[in-house]
Amino acid sequence: MSDTPDAVKATRPERQGQGRPNSGGQAHPLARFLVRRILLAVLMAWGITLVTFVLTNLVPGDPVAANLGQRALGDPAIVAQWRAEHGLDKPLWQQYALHLQGLLQGDLGTSQQSHRPVSQDLAEFVPATLELAGAAILVSLVLGVAFGVVAALRRDRLADHTLRLLSLIGISVPTFWLALLAFYVFFYRLQLTPGSGRVDAALGSAPAVTGLQTADALLAGRWDIFTSAVGHLITPALVLALYTIGLLTRFTRSAVLEVLGQDYVRAARAKGLPGRVILFRYVLRSALVPIITVAGLAFGSLLSGTVLVEAIFAWPGIGQYAYKSATTLDLPAVMGVGLVVGVVYLVINLIVDVLYGVIDPRVRLQ
């Protein structure tokens, strides 16, 4: 009995010492989580530059012929001068080294069509696509998650069957066909929506601050331009959002149904908690991880898949720029577009990973 206090005293510092390193090691798990993800993103960004450069140079076709024309090809001096000006007379590894050096200095090269820096062209076209894709993903999140929750709560009822059918239609209908149909019906026949472009030509545009017509109009206090920009944005954004709404509806329904069958949800019901509290505090929070994953991938797909929709609605975005650059073999512009889309995917994945760690702390420790 006399040895017990001494044993307790002897073991107490060890326990305290064991507890402190654990608490200190877990003091900033999210910071370590972010550092790992950022380092991985940098490595993947380098991989994107390499893959984009290789694939662009493997595309069949002669950029000299696409830019100079057949008549100029008959003069070897002109061809040699053009290739030397654009660095095409060097080996591929030297071209890539120069390309990577320019990227590190913020230089994406010069477009062979517009004769402007590619970064300047992208700064003009990327905000338009971001505005369109951002509006589409916002609508998709609100409607898709709401429809999925309703379908899960009304499982095997009329509302569930109706929403599942509509989501299947949204996933199955080709986006370009829906864009043509919407433009013909709502603009040409019914004249309910404005025509092509981002804003009415008679109104001009607000001073460029962010590049987003709606945001710049609000910052300038031009409500007429804001109303026109929103009107032009509605139809193409809804067309782009239809597929994502169907996708999010189905994923949300599955995720919510899986969480509803968990023991802690049954325990919450047994304790008499209100259904609204159970839904928002327990069910939706647990179901957010797969929903966020799908939403992040969907936004990247929207950003890179707006080519046909932008062409139909004459939306001056990165899709139009990429199409024109590809048809003319404008290699610096094509590589610039590929790099921007790849970086956007990386940023979205990083944001999704951070949200994982915020929503589910277990992700930080794995």
CSV table of all heavy atoms in Angstrom, one decimal, residues 23-52:
chain,number,residue,atom,x,y,z
A,23,SER,N,-1.3,16.1,-28.1
A,23,SER,CA,-2.1,17.4,-28.3
A,23,SER,C,-1.3,18.4,-29.2
A,23,SER,O,-1.9,19.1,-30.0
A,23,SER,CB,-2.4,18.0,-26.9
A,23,SER,OG,-1.2,18.3,-26.3
A,24,GLY,N,0.1,18.4,-29.0
A,24,GLY,CA,0.8,19.3,-29.8
A,24,GLY,C,0.9,18.8,-31.3
A,24,GLY,O,0.9,19.6,-32.2
A,25,GLY,N,0.9,17.5,-31.4
A,25,GLY,CA,0.9,16.9,-32.8
A,25,GLY,C,-0.3,17.2,-33.5
A,25,GLY,O,-0.4,17.2,-34.8
A,26,GLN,N,-1.4,17.3,-32.8
A,26,GLN,CA,-2.7,17.5,-33.4
A,26,GLN,C,-3.2,18.9,-33.4
A,26,GLN,O,-4.3,19.2,-33.6
A,26,GLN,CB,-3.8,16.6,-32.7
A,26,GLN,CG,-3.5,15.1,-32.8
A,26,GLN,CD,-4.5,14.3,-32.1
A,26,GLN,OE1,-5.5,14.8,-31.6
A,26,GLN,NE2,-4.4,13.0,-32.1
A,27,ALA,N,-2.3,19.8,-33.0
A,27,ALA,CA,-2.6,21.2,-32.9
A,27,ALA,C,-3.0,21.8,-34.2
A,27,ALA,O,-3.9,22.6,-34.3
A,27,ALA,CB,-1.5,22.0,-32.2
A,28,HIS,N,-2.3,21.4,-35.2
A,28,HIS,CA,-2.5,22.0,-36.6
A,28,HIS,C,-2.6,20.9,-37.6
A,28,HIS,O,-1.8,20.9,-38.6
A,28,HIS,CB,-1.4,23.0,-36.9
A,28,HIS,CG,-1.2,24.1,-35.9
A,28,HIS,ND1,-2.1,25.1,-35.8
A,28,HIS,CD2,-0.2,24.3,-35.0
A,28,HIS,CE1,-1.6,25.9,-34.8
A,28,HIS,NE2,-0.5,25.4,-34.4
A,29,PRO,N,-3.6,20.0,-37.5
A,29,PRO,CA,-3.7,18.9,-38.5
A,29,PRO,C,-4.1,19.5,-39.8
A,29,PRO,O,-3.7,19.0,-40.9
A,29,PRO,CB,-4.7,18.0,-37.9
A,29,PRO,CG,-5.5,18.9,-37.0
A,29,PRO,CD,-4.6,19.9,-36.4
A,30,LEU,N,-5.0,20.5,-39.8
A,30,LEU,CA,-5.4,21.1,-41.1
A,30,LEU,C,-4.3,21.8,-41.8
A,30,LEU,O,-4.2,21.8,-43.1
A,30,LEU,CB,-6.6,22.1,-40.8
A,30,LEU,CG,-7.3,22.6,-42.0
A,30,LEU,CD1,-7.9,21.5,-42.9
A,30,LEU,CD2,-8.4,23.6,-41.6
A,31,ALA,N,-3.4,22.4,-41.1
A,31,ALA,CA,-2.2,23.0,-41.7
A,31,ALA,C,-1.3,22.0,-42.4
A,31,ALA,O,-0.9,22.2,-43.6
A,31,ALA,CB,-1.4,23.8,-40.7
A,32,ARG,N,-1.0,20.9,-41.8
A,32,ARG,CA,-0.3,19.9,-42.4
A,32,ARG,C,-1.0,19.3,-43.6
A,32,ARG,O,-0.4,19.0,-44.7
A,32,ARG,CB,0.1,18.8,-41.4
A,32,ARG,CG,1.0,19.2,-40.3
A,32,ARG,CD,1.6,18.0,-39.6
A,32,ARG,NE,0.5,17.1,-39.1
A,32,ARG,CZ,-0.1,17.2,-37.9
A,32,ARG,NH1,0.2,18.1,-37.1
A,32,ARG,NH2,-1.0,16.3,-37.6
A,33,PHE,N,-2.3,19.1,-43.5
A,33,PHE,CA,-3.1,18.7,-44.6
A,33,PHE,C,-3.1,19.6,-45.8
A,33,PHE,O,-2.9,19.1,-46.9
A,33,PHE,CB,-4.6,18.6,-44.0
A,33,PHE,CG,-5.6,18.1,-45.0
A,33,PHE,CD1,-5.7,16.7,-45.3
A,33,PHE,CD2,-6.4,19.0,-45.7
A,33,PHE,CE1,-6.7,16.3,-46.2
A,33,PHE,CE2,-7.3,18.5,-46.6
A,33,PHE,CZ,-7.5,17.2,-46.9
A,34,LEU,N,-3.1,20.9,-45.5
A,34,LEU,CA,-3.0,21.9,-46.6
A,34,LEU,C,-1.7,21.9,-47.3
A,34,LEU,O,-1.6,21.9,-48.5
A,34,LEU,CB,-3.4,23.3,-46.1
A,34,LEU,CG,-4.8,23.6,-45.8
A,34,LEU,CD1,-4.9,25.0,-45.2
A,34,LEU,CD2,-5.6,23.5,-47.1
A,35,VAL,N,-0.6,21.7,-46.5
A,35,VAL,CA,0.8,21.7,-47.0
A,35,VAL,C,0.9,20.5,-48.0
A,35,VAL,O,1.5,20.7,-49.1
A,35,VAL,CB,1.8,21.7,-45.9
A,35,VAL,CG1,3.2,21.5,-46.5
A,35,VAL,CG2,1.8,23.0,-45.2
A,36,ARG,N,0.5,19.4,-47.6
A,36,ARG,CA,0.6,18.2,-48.4
A,36,ARG,C,-0.2,18.4,-49.7
A,36,ARG,O,0.3,18.1,-50.8
A,36,ARG,CB,0.1,17.0,-47.7
A,36,ARG,CG,0.9,16.5,-46.5
A,36,ARG,CD,0.6,15.1,-46.1
A,36,ARG,NE,-0.8,15.0,-45.7
A,36,ARG,CZ,-1.2,15.1,-44.4
A,36,ARG,NH1,-0.3,15.4,-43.5
A,36,ARG,NH2,-2.5,15.0,-44.1
A,37,ARG,N,-1.4,18.9,-49.6
A,37,ARG,CA,-2.2,19.1,-50.8
A,37,ARG,C,-1.6,20.2,-51.8
A,37,ARG,O,-1.6,20.0,-53.0
A,37,ARG,CB,-3.6,19.5,-50.4
A,37,ARG,CG,-4.4,18.4,-49.8
A,37,ARG,CD,-4.6,17.2,-50.7
A,37,ARG,NE,-5.5,16.2,-50.1
A,37,ARG,CZ,-5.1,15.2,-49.4
A,37,ARG,NH1,-3.8,15.1,-49.1
A,37,ARG,NH2,-5.9,14.3,-48.9
A,38,ILE,N,-1.0,21.2,-51.2
A,38,ILE,CA,-0.4,22.3,-52.0
A,38,ILE,C,0.8,21.7,-52.8
A,38,ILE,O,1.0,22.0,-53.9
A,38,ILE,CB,-0.1,23.5,-51.2
A,38,ILE,CG1,-1.4,24.2,-50.7
A,38,ILE,CG2,0.7,24.5,-52.0
A,38,ILE,CD1,-1.2,25.3,-49.8
A,39,LEU,N,1.6,21.0,-52.1
A,39,LEU,CA,2.8,20.4,-52.7
A,39,LEU,C,2.4,19.4,-53.8
A,39,LEU,O,3.0,19.4,-54.9
A,39,LEU,CB,3.7,19.7,-51.6
A,39,LEU,CG,4.4,20.6,-50.6
A,39,LEU,CD1,5.1,19.7,-49.6
A,39,LEU,CD2,5.3,21.6,-51.3
A,40,LEU,N,1.4,18.7,-53.6
A,40,LEU,CA,0.9,17.8,-54.6
A,40,LEU,C,0.3,18.6,-55.8
A,40,LEU,O,0.5,18.2,-57.0
A,40,LEU,CB,-0.2,16.8,-54.0
A,40,LEU,CG,-0.8,15.8,-55.0
A,40,LEU,CD1,0.3,14.9,-55.5
A,40,LEU,CD2,-1.9,15.0,-54.3
A,41,ALA,N,-0.3,19.7,-55.5
A,41,ALA,CA,-0.9,20.5,-56.6
A,41,ALA,C,0.2,21.1,-57.4
A,41,ALA,O,0.1,21.2,-58.7
A,41,ALA,CB,-1.8,21.6,-56.0
A,42,VAL,N,1.3,21.5,-56.8
A,42,VAL,CA,2.4,22.1,-57.6
A,42,VAL,C,3.0,21.0,-58.5
A,42,VAL,O,3.3,21.3,-59.7
A,42,VAL,CB,3.5,22.6,-56.6
A,42,VAL,CG1,4.8,23.0,-57.4
A,42,VAL,CG2,3.0,23.8,-55.9
A,43,LEU,N,3.2,19.8,-58.0
A,43,LEU,CA,3.7,18.7,-58.8
A,43,LEU,C,2.8,18.4,-60.0
A,43,LEU,O,3.3,18.2,-61.1
A,43,LEU,CB,3.9,17.5,-57.9
A,43,LEU,CG,4.5,16.2,-58.6
A,43,LEU,CD1,5.9,16.6,-59.2
A,43,LEU,CD2,4.6,15.1,-57.7
A,44,MET,N,1.5,18.4,-59.7
A,44,MET,CA,0.6,18.1,-60.8
A,44,MET,C,0.5,19.3,-61.8
A,44,MET,O,0.3,19.0,-63.0
A,44,MET,CB,-0.8,17.9,-60.2
A,44,MET,CG,-0.9,16.6,-59.3
A,44,MET,SD,-2.6,16.3,-58.7
A,44,MET,CE,-3.5,16.0,-60.2
A,45,ALA,N,0.7,20.5,-61.3
A,45,ALA,CA,0.8,21.6,-62.3
A,45,ALA,C,1.9,21.5,-63.2
A,45,ALA,O,1.8,21.7,-64.4
A,45,ALA,CB,0.9,22.9,-61.5
A,46,TRP,N,3.1,21.0,-62.7
A,46,TRP,CA,4.2,20.8,-63.6
A,46,TRP,C,3.8,19.7,-64.6
A,46,TRP,O,4.2,19.7,-65.8
A,46,TRP,CB,5.4,20.4,-62.8
A,46,TRP,CG,6.5,19.9,-63.7
A,46,TRP,CD1,7.4,20.6,-64.5
A,46,TRP,CD2,6.9,18.5,-64.0
A,46,TRP,NE1,8.2,19.8,-65.2
A,46,TRP,CE2,8.0,18.5,-64.9
A,46,TRP,CE3,6.4,17.3,-63.5
A,46,TRP,CZ2,8.5,17.4,-65.4
A,46,TRP,CZ3,7.0,16.1,-64.0
A,46,TRP,CH2,8.1,16.2,-64.9
A,47,GLY,N,3.2,18.6,-64.2
A,47,GLY,CA,2.7,17.6,-65.1
A,47,GLY,C,1.8,18.0,-66.1
A,47,GLY,O,1.8,17.6,-67.3
A,48,ILE,N,0.9,19.0,-65.8
A,48,ILE,CA,0.0,19.5,-66.7
A,48,ILE,C,0.7,20.3,-67.8
A,48,ILE,O,0.4,20.2,-69.0
A,48,ILE,CB,-1.0,20.5,-66.0
A,48,ILE,CG1,-2.0,19.6,-65.2
A,48,ILE,CG2,-1.8,21.3,-67.0
A,48,ILE,CD1,-2.9,20.5,-64.3
A,49,THR,N,1.7,21.0,-67.5
A,49,THR,CA,2.5,21.8,-68.5
A,49,THR,C,3.2,20.8,-69.4
A,49,THR,O,3.2,21.0,-70.7
A,49,THR,CB,3.6,22.7,-67.8
A,49,THR,OG1,4.5,21.9,-67.1
A,49,THR,CG2,2.9,23.7,-66.9
A,50,LEU,N,3.7,19.7,-68.9
A,50,LEU,CA,4.4,18.7,-69.8
A,50,LEU,C,3.4,18.0,-70.7
A,50,LEU,O,3.7,17.9,-71.9
A,50,LEU,CB,5.1,17.7,-68.9
A,50,LEU,CG,5.9,16.6,-69.6
A,50,LEU,CD1,7.0,17.2,-70.5
A,50,LEU,CD2,6.5,15.6,-68.6
A,51,VAL,N,2.3,17.6,-70.1
A,51,VAL,CA,1.3,16.8,-70.9
A,51,VAL,C,0.7,17.8,-72.0
A,51,VAL,O,0.5,17.4,-73.2
A,51,VAL,CB,0.2,16.2,-70.0
A,51,VAL,CG1,-0.9,15.7,-70.9
A,51,VAL,CG2,0.8,15.2,-69.1
A,52,THR,N,0.4,19.0,-71.6
A,52,THR,CA,-0.2,19.9,-72.6
A,52,THR,C,0.8,20.2,-73.7
A,52,THR,O,0.4,20.2,-74.9
A,52,THR,CB,-0.5,21.2,-71.8
A,52,THR,OG1,-1.4,21.0,-70.8
A,52,THR,CG2,-1.2,22.2,-72.8
